[in-house]
Structures are given as structure tokens and as C-alpha cells.
Amino acid sequence: MIERPYGGCGKCLLGVRRLSRMKLATSSPERQREDVLTAAGSVGGHIIGWADDWEVSGATDPMTRPQLGPWLRDERGPHDGLAAAAVDRLGRNVVDCLNTGYKMRGEGKLLVTYGHEGPWDLDDQVDENRFTMEAWGAQMELRAIQRRNRSATEKTRAAGRPKGKPSYGFQYVRTVMGGKIDHVELHPHASSVIRTVARRILADPERVTPSSEAARLSRAGELSPADHLAVMYGKPAGGNPWQPTSLKNILLSEATLGYLMHAGKPVIGKDGNLVRLCEGLWDRQTHEALKQALIPRKTPWVGRRSNRAYMLTEMALCGRCHNRL
């Protein structure tokens, strides 16, 4: 078998897969799996587990990736090396790839990729140069992708069209599946949820806070913004709870007024006016009232008199006034 538990044979490899964007039509995970199994088999090794980082940018340091990181930090158990479909699956940065490669070399572990005969030997000048060149190629490809994305974003913004993820309470409407965004409109359910939160806070700002509302929404089973977005695009919800800070940011953002946003600010059009995508969740007057209601309470903080220190003194925050406990 090419997949079995760790046996201490010296060739128990961890399969490494990564993809920046997961789409229903993509076959990359299956192709990467076959390439990894082929690479492991070519050196007489087998796969003991998979570090699958889906929806993870290649610019992310391998040590901090959700699935691969814990293995590299020796938090997931023993392994004898890594097997990947290509060097760019390890990372799209020369430094990150070399750090990972040298870490494997320093620990006496194998590093195998599909298309390279045998394990990488970074003590060999030819292998080291080839590994560096493949990492360099991956980095240059990443830079090209980033330039194209920036250019597309600038052109889209100049045309007054949205790009990226819709703000909570809004949704993009496309006339053709997978086509360009035709227009933006309020999401029937999400807009009702956030409007209710705003009304409750304005009705009693002393007792109703982003913290209490986040807890209420989580108890009620309302999808958090991240889960709501995932479900809108046909992906499973992650079960993430509402966060007070996230909820407060939504309430205070001018995106709720229906404006096109960039770097947290409304975009100004060629005519000198703010670019509006659709009707807002509420008007400017309500927006200003929310800003006043959500200003942190300026109550004085006095230390706790005690003959010993408590672990969370001056560190924990009150969910209502946001002052230190």
C-alpha cells in the first residue's frame, strides 16, 4: 500500500497539497493526489497523512499554514519527510521554499516532488540550484498573478463596479452564472438580521452592545458573516460564531450605506461624488447615530485592591463598556 500509518521505516512521508481557490469544477486536488502518490512511490516511500491547505495563498509561510504548519512544528506526530506535487505547492516564495527545504535537510528528512528523480539533495550544488530556480519561478508567477489582480481591481473600481466579496447584508447579482457582476442588491435575510441588530442597539445602547448581540446571534444559530458568505457561494459553513469586533466593524462601515468601498473608505467617482452601488441598509442619520452609540464608554478604571495578583487583571475586557477588568 502507498498509504499507511507511520511505521518508522525512514520513508513515511507527509503528502502536501495546496490550492489558492477551491472551485466545484477544479480537478487539481485529485491531480495533486496522484502526483504526490507517484512521487512517494518513486523513492519507495508511502504516505502517512495529508496536509491539505485549501483556500490558502501560496504567499503564506509554510510554517503558519493551517494544515502543514503543525506538522513542520512537530505538533502532529513523527514523519520522515514531505512529498508534494511540485515545489510551488510548498510555497510561492523563494525564502519560504528554501527554509522548508533546509529544514528537511537539517533534520535528516526527505523532500520529494513529482517530476524530480529521487529526493532533493540540497547538499548537491546541481540539486540546490534547480530547487532554487523552481522556487524562483513560482515566486515570479505569484508576482505576475498579483499584478494582474491589482490591474483588474483598479480597472473595475474606476468603472464603478464591485470586486471581491460583498459586504454582509448585500449580494452580487449575475445575469450569467460565473459571469460579471450585473448589479448589487440587499440580501433578503442578512439585511434583515443586521438591521435588527442596529435597531436593538439604538433602542438601548447602554445594555445592548456588539458583544451581547454577537452572543444572541450565535445562540439563535444565525450564520456568521464568514459562514454566510461560504453558504452563498455553495460551500459548507464552518460553524464559526459571531465575533463582537466583526459585528461592530460591519455596523460602523460606510459600506452599509450602499457605497463602493476601497481600503475602508467610499470610492469617489469621476464626477466627484461617492459611488453608490445600491440602496443602503440605513440612511446617513442612522449611521451617525450608530457611531455615537458604539463609542467606548469612558468610565474610569480603578485597580483591584488585593494582596495577590490575578491572572487576568488589566487584561480581560468588559463586554459592555470595553474597559479593563
Side-chain angles (χ1 to χ4, degrees):
M1 288 181 61
I2 198 67
E3 292 182 77
R4 58 178 184 266
Y6 182 82
C9 64
K11 294 186 177 181
C12 300
L13 305 177
L14 173 69
V16 178
R17 296 189 294 177
R18 183 194 59 77
L19 196 61
S20 299
R21 294 289 180 268
M22 281 289 285
K23 299 180 180 179
L24 294 177
T26 185
S27 59
S28 181
E30 290 75 17
R31 291 200 308 271
Q32 289 188 46
R33 175 186 172 84
E34 292 302 318
D35 290 346
V36 169
L37 292 176
T38 301
S42 68
V43 297
H46 61 274
I47 302 299
I48 62 167
W50 294 90
D52 295 336
D53 285 304
W54 309 133
E55 296 283 339
V56 175
S57 170
T60 306
D61 185 345
M63 292 293 290
T64 63
R65 276 160 54 172
Q67 300 301 320
L68 178 58
W71 285 95
L72 295 180
R73 299 192 299 268
D74 297 324
E75 298 173 0
R76 291 281 178 86
H79 62 95
D80 298 324
L82 306 179
V87 173
D88 64 5
R89 296 303 97 183
L90 297 173
R92 286 188 178 273
N93 180 289
V94 174
V95 174
D96 291 343
C97 289
L98 288 176
N99 284 343
T100 303
Y102 289 138
K103 177 179 174 61
M104 294 296 103
R105 183 190 68 176
E107 296 176 356
K109 295 180 179 179
L110 301 177
L111 180 60
V112 183
T113 61
Y114 180 76
H116 179 268
E117 185 177 352
W120 287 96
D121 180 8
L122 298 186
D123 287 322
D124 178 74
Q125 185 176 1
V126 175
D127 248 16
E128 184 181 40
N129 288 338
R130 178 178 170 181
F131 185 83
T132 303
M133 291 303 297
E134 291 196 19
W136 177 257
Q139 177 171 302
M140 296 305 295
E141 185 179 358
L142 174 65
R143 297 292 183 267
I145 293 171
Q146 291 172 336
R147 285 196 299 271
R148 290 197 298 269
N149 288 341
R150 281 196 299 269
S151 177
T153 299
E154 291 171 358
K155 290 180 179 178
T156 302
R157 187 167 62 247
R161 299 197 311 269
K163 190 176 185 296
K165 302 174 183 178
S167 300
Y168 185 80
F170 298 87
Q171 64 181 1
Y172 294 154
V173 178
R174 294 175 170 85
T175 55
V176 179
M177 182 177 296
K180 292 183 178 180
I181 300 169
D182 183 69
H183 63 277
V184 182
E185 64 182 21
L186 296 179
H187 188 279
H189 180 71
S191 62
S192 174
V193 170
I194 199 66
R195 280 171 167 168
T196 299
V197 170
R199 283 196 299 268
R200 287 171 56 86
I201 289 177
L202 292 177
D204 190 0
E206 293 295 327
R207 296 186 178 182
V208 181
T209 66
S211 296
S212 65
E213 283 299 282
R216 180 183 66 84
L217 292 173
S218 296
R219 288 195 303 269
E222 288 290 349
L223 293 176
S224 66
D227 285 352
H228 167 73
L229 187 66
V231 170
M232 271 207 306
Y233 286 95
K235 298 177 182 178
N240 301 306
W242 283 77
Q243 299 296 332
T245 302
S246 174
L247 180 57
K248 183 178 179 180
N249 290 339
I250 293 172
L251 293 168
L252 294 179
S253 172
E254 290 192 81
T256 57
L257 301 176
Y259 293 134
L260 175 64
M261 304 292 291
H262 173 66
K265 297 181 179 179
V267 174
I268 300 177
K270 295 180 180 179
D271 58 358
N273 297 318
L274 302 181
V275 178
R276 186 182 291 277
L277 297 175
C278 71
E279 64 172 308
L281 291 165
W282 42 72
D283 56 21
R284 173 65 69 174
Q285 183 179 358
T286 303
H287 177 73
E288 294 299 328
L290 282 169
K291 288 171 64 176
Q292 291 298 317
L294 295 175
I295 292 177
R297 311 291 188 270
K298 295 183 179 180
T299 55
W301 179 82
V302 292
R304 180 175 184 174
R305 293 184 179 180
S306 173
N307 57 1
R308 66 186 181 90
Y310 289 84
M311 291 181 65
L312 296 180
T313 299
E314 300 188 41
M315 295 178 62
L317 301 178
C318 175
R320 178 170 296 176
C321 68
H322 305 290
N323 282 301
R324 295 175 294 172
L325 298 177

